[in-house]
Amino acid sequence: MAQRRIANPALFICDLQEKFRPAIHEFPKVVATAQKLLKASQILDIPVFATTQNKARLGETCPELKLDQPGGIRTVCHHDKTLFSMVTPEVKKSLDSLNASGPLSCIIVGIESHICVTQTTLDLLKAGHKVYVIADGVSSCNKEEVPIALARLRHEGAVVTTSESFMYEYVGDAGTPEFKQIIKVVKDTSQTTKEVMQTLCKI
């Protein structure tokens, strides 16, 4: 098998919490994309990092993501923070524990695009990592913030892409053992993906 196009991936789930549900533009669609990528992460053995923002006020991570729940998805780090960036000392320590052979490829979904997602991306880029911001997996309270944030992050050096594009790019070869499983995820979520793209990725 050829060397993977994307090396040392890590999935970042940024502040997808209960209290944000009524405030964030198309919040359920952001959660749907996060769920899809979490399924892919299990197939592709991609480590997951998650944060909450001041959960005493803003609540726990949305239960449908099943992070660190019985029978759910085990994270490397699921940390509460007051920093806007996910790159806290605790998360840095967990990133170091991966013992990656080079810079990470960090895949980011969550909220808000112009605050926590932006500051996380900038910190990861500054640390020398590659960052993939998933356009169908980020949002803000005011939808007008999103394209401005994505344009800025693209200018700063992040790759702005979609969940499906990322999955195909990471797999890279229809002959790999995991391809059939990834295709099943794509097919099972095809209608949801279409609805999400039409809402969150309008150009």
Side-chain angles (χ1 to χ4, degrees):
M1 186 180 72
Q3 186 175 6
R4 290 200 190 274
R5 197 183 297 269
I6 296 173
N8 302 321
L11 176 60
F12 286 69
I13 308 291
C14 185
D15 304 350
L16 287 176
Q17 293 160 261
E18 278 300 310
K19 288 275 181 77
F20 288 116
R21 198 179 290 271
I24 296 293
H25 174 66
E26 296 291 357
F27 187 83
K29 291 182 170 59
V30 177
V31 170
T33 298
Q35 289 175 306
K36 176 169 59 174
L37 285 172
L38 285 166
K39 286 178 186 174
S41 76
Q42 292 195 295
I43 296 164
L44 302 170
D45 197 24
I46 296 174
V48 177
F49 295 79
T51 56
T52 50
Q53 180 72 22
N54 193 4
K55 69 179 177 183
R57 286 188 57 247
L58 297 170
E60 298 284 351
T61 299
C62 295
E64 60 265 45
L65 296 178
K66 298 181 180 178
L67 298 183
D68 300 309
Q69 295 178 16
I73 294 167
R74 187 174 179 83
T75 64
V76 176
C77 178
H78 194 174
H79 177 65
D80 190 45
K81 62 186 176 67
T82 56
L83 280 178
F84 295 122
S85 173
M86 290 180 72
V87 188
T88 65
E90 294 84 358
V91 172
K92 282 181 185 176
K93 187 176 179 181
S94 295
L95 289 171
D96 291 341
S97 75
L98 294 179
N99 294 317
S101 58
L104 298 175
S105 297
C106 303
I107 306 101
I108 299 184
V109 295
I111 59 172
E112 288 188 66
S113 60
H114 63 300
I115 304 173
C116 297
V117 170
T118 287
Q119 293 186 38
T120 300
T121 300
L122 295 176
D123 284 348
L124 289 168
L125 288 169
K126 186 177 179 182
H129 302 299
K130 189 162 187 175
V131 182
Y132 294 80
V133 181
I134 304 300
D136 53 321
V138 297
S139 191
S140 295
C141 289
N142 297 314
K143 67 176 188 272
E144 292 80 8
E145 293 278 10
V146 180
I148 297 169
L150 294 180
R152 180 194 175 182
L153 293 176
R154 188 181 289 112
H155 178 74
E156 295 283 355
V159 176
V160 177
T161 188
T162 66
S163 56
E164 191 168 307
S165 177
F166 164 76
M167 290 191 297
Y168 275 93
E169 185 174 353
Y170 181 72
V171 173
D173 184 343
T176 58
E178 62 265 34
F179 180 69
K180 285 185 180 179
Q181 293 173 275
I182 289 296
I183 279 292
K184 186 177 187 309
V185 173
V186 170
K187 288 180 178 177
D188 288 348
T189 59
S190 61
Q191 184 57 41
T192 303
T193 297
K194 184 176 181 179
E195 292 168 2
V196 172
M197 293 292 292
Q198 289 173 346
T199 305
L200 293 180
C201 297
K202 285 183 177 178
I203 297 176

